[in-house]
Amino acid sequence: MRTRHVPLAVAGVAALAISGLAAAVPAGAATSATTPALVAAPNTGVSHGVAWARACASTTSADAMSCNALRVTGRISNGKTAKPNASSPSGYGPSNLLSAYKLASGGGAGQTVAIVDAYDDPNAEADMATYRSYYGLPACTSASGCFKKVGQTGGSVPRANASWAEEISLDLDMVSAIAPNAHIVLVEASSASMTNLGTAVNEAVKLGATEVSNSYGGGESSSDTGYDSTYFNHPGVPITVSSGDSGYGVEYPAASPNVTAVGGTSLKTASNTRGWTESVWSTSSTEGAGSGCSAYEPKPSWQTDSGCSKRTVADVSAVADPATGVSVYDSYGSVGGWATFGGTSVAAPLIASVYADAGSHSTSVPASVAYSHSSSLFDVTSGSTTSCSPAYLCTAESGYDGPTGLGTPNGTAAFTG
């Protein structure tokens, strides 16, 4: 059984903020946290004018992971909340995301992106078909061999779960949007334990995945370095992991030096050359993109920031703010159709799909590629999640910072090689 690294609660938490999963206060970095606590986070909140609900309830149980998907439940104006219309999309679609990140349409050919989640979504294939049809994307079906759904050891799928079904729909739709010509393997773990999810990661690679997306996380523990070698040691396979939705603090497996830790941004249209602008996603000190210093994981040789003696989170980032969220179709969860989602669960499959657009991978740990091609990323230089020291661990700066890493995709050059 994993022993969770007990976090410290940050003072001044807004009443409607979400604190998310228990996470380690980064070693080697000062924080404004003052009161020791280990409590389950609220499962609803408000972000820049939208109300949202966490798809998967947060947990403080040992060895338990929670998905990092946040579903928009209403938009707030003049003190009133308007519920979303499930009959039509209301968030960013494929063309918006491709435009924002300067990606060509029709990407992913020859690649197989794996999605690893817990439990079964019985409607996964049908819901993905609805999303693809609406946006004019090529079909990807089990009958054609493009789509495959299996359990964590390649056999029968586990019992269904409506909460994780929302996460699964989000993940499949993001791969469809960014890498529509890739094959997709959905590997469903029997439960949300790290052991079962890690077993599913191994199965995904065994089945030929060229990229693996993981949109979940939990508290760090002394067991994590063992999990690194058991579940995440797949040279040449990009494994993306969401950094978490609870602001400053580190989750596992994002802390693993074998993966690409993916932070989050707010993405908005702008009258500039790019046509878009991004800032750190944050609503309060405990709601936003996860970041900081790992308590246990060694610092990889390719990571050279000076504020953490151990692994720093994140590496790169993409849109995650529910207020600037993405359209998703899900009929099995509580949505009942179209919904808008945020959270770093958006960013992880998006970045996995950018790796798929980039093609085959020759570098042992693909996360390292971005560090030698940082000029091929959009540098995010505004916004913060809280106050910390060194400041770059929670505040955007020119170059590397914790919440957004090296930046967001500007084409595929930073993900090639």
Side-chain angles (χ1 to χ4, degrees):
M1 180 175 288
R2 304 173 85 218
T3 301
R4 284 185 174 270
H5 189 71
V6 179
L8 300 178
V10 178
V13 178
L16 290 173
I18 183 169
S19 61
L21 289 173
V25 171
T31 175
S32 59
T34 56
T35 307
L38 182 60
V39 295
N43 292 307
T44 59
V46 174
S47 178
H48 302 127
V50 304
W52 53 261
R54 184 183 289 272
C56 305
S58 62
T59 178
T60 60
S61 300
D63 196 34
M65 301 286 108
S66 181
C67 69
N68 285 311
L70 307 179
R71 172 174 47 85
V72 172
T73 57
R75 296 190 178 273
I76 303 168
S77 178
N78 297 322
K80 298 181 180 180
T81 302
K83 293 183 178 180
N85 182 359
S87 63
S88 61
S90 56
Y92 290 141
S95 62
N96 303 119
L97 299 173
L98 296 176
S99 169
Y101 296 122
K102 307 306 177 189
L103 299 167
S105 60
Q111 301 299 103
T112 299
V113 181
I115 297 298
V116 172
D117 282 312
Y119 304 108
D120 179 41
D121 176 2
N123 299 354
E125 183 173 355
D127 287 351
M128 180 176 65
T130 298
Y131 180 92
R132 284 176 171 258
S133 176
Y134 181 89
Y135 286 111
L137 303 173
C140 184
T141 66
S142 54
S144 69
C146 176
F147 177 72
K148 177 182 288 188
K149 182 174 76 169
V150 298
Q152 68 183 45
T153 57
S156 59
V157 299
R159 64 182 176 87
N161 181 286
S163 295
W164 279 86
E166 293 184 15
E167 176 65 62
I168 290 170
S169 292
L170 166 58
D171 293 343
L172 293 176
D173 289 356
M174 288 305 94
V175 177
S176 299
I178 303 300
N181 286 318
H183 284 201
I184 301 175
V185 177
L186 171 60
V187 186
E188 298 176 329
S190 298
S191 76
S193 72
M194 187 64 257
T195 300
N196 285 332
L197 287 161
T199 298
V201 171
N202 286 343
E203 183 64 24
V205 177
K206 178 182 176 182
L207 291 173
T210 52
E211 299 83 20
V212 182
S213 175
N214 304 268
S215 291
Y216 55 83
E220 291 195 279
S221 86
S222 57
S223 302
D224 293 345
T225 53
Y227 292 144
D228 293 340
S229 57
T230 303
Y231 303 126
F232 297 103
N233 183 25
H234 297 289
V237 178
I239 301 175
T240 62
V241 181
S242 54
S243 71
D245 299 342
S246 304
Y248 185 51
V250 176
E251 291 187 355
Y252 188 84
S256 172
N258 295 341
V259 310
T260 301
V262 186
T265 69
S266 294
L267 173 69
K268 300 177 182 179
T269 57
S271 56
N272 56 21
T273 302
R274 178 186 174 189
W276 300 84
T277 185
E278 287 178 279
S279 59
V280 171
W281 166 47
S282 178
T283 307
S284 75
S285 60
T286 53
E287 179 191 327
S291 67
C293 307
S294 171
Y296 301 102
E297 296 285 4
K299 196 173 197 68
S301 60
W302 35 266
Q303 198 171 55
T304 59
D305 63 295
S306 60
C308 295
S309 60
K310 298 185 184 297
R311 168 75 154 118
T312 313
V313 173
D315 297 311
V316 292
S317 55
V319 60
D321 188 347
T324 64
V326 299
S327 289
V328 172
Y329 189 84
D330 173 68
S331 65
Y332 189 74
S334 60
V335 176
W338 289 100
T340 302
F341 277 83
T344 50
S345 278
V346 176
L350 193 157
I351 294 297
S353 302
V354 176
Y355 276 115
D357 289 351
S360 59
H361 316 289
S362 57
T363 304
S364 179
V365 182
S368 65
V369 175
Y371 286 81
S372 57
H373 294 84
S374 59
S375 62
S376 297
L377 294 161
F378 289 117
D379 190 10
V380 181
T381 59
S382 64
S384 64
T385 53
T386 188
S387 297
C388 64
S389 179
Y392 79 90
L393 293 175
C394 55
T395 299
E397 296 183 358
S398 179
Y400 181 85
D401 58 71
T404 68
L406 297 163
T408 62
N410 179 5
T412 61
F415 304 87
T416 303

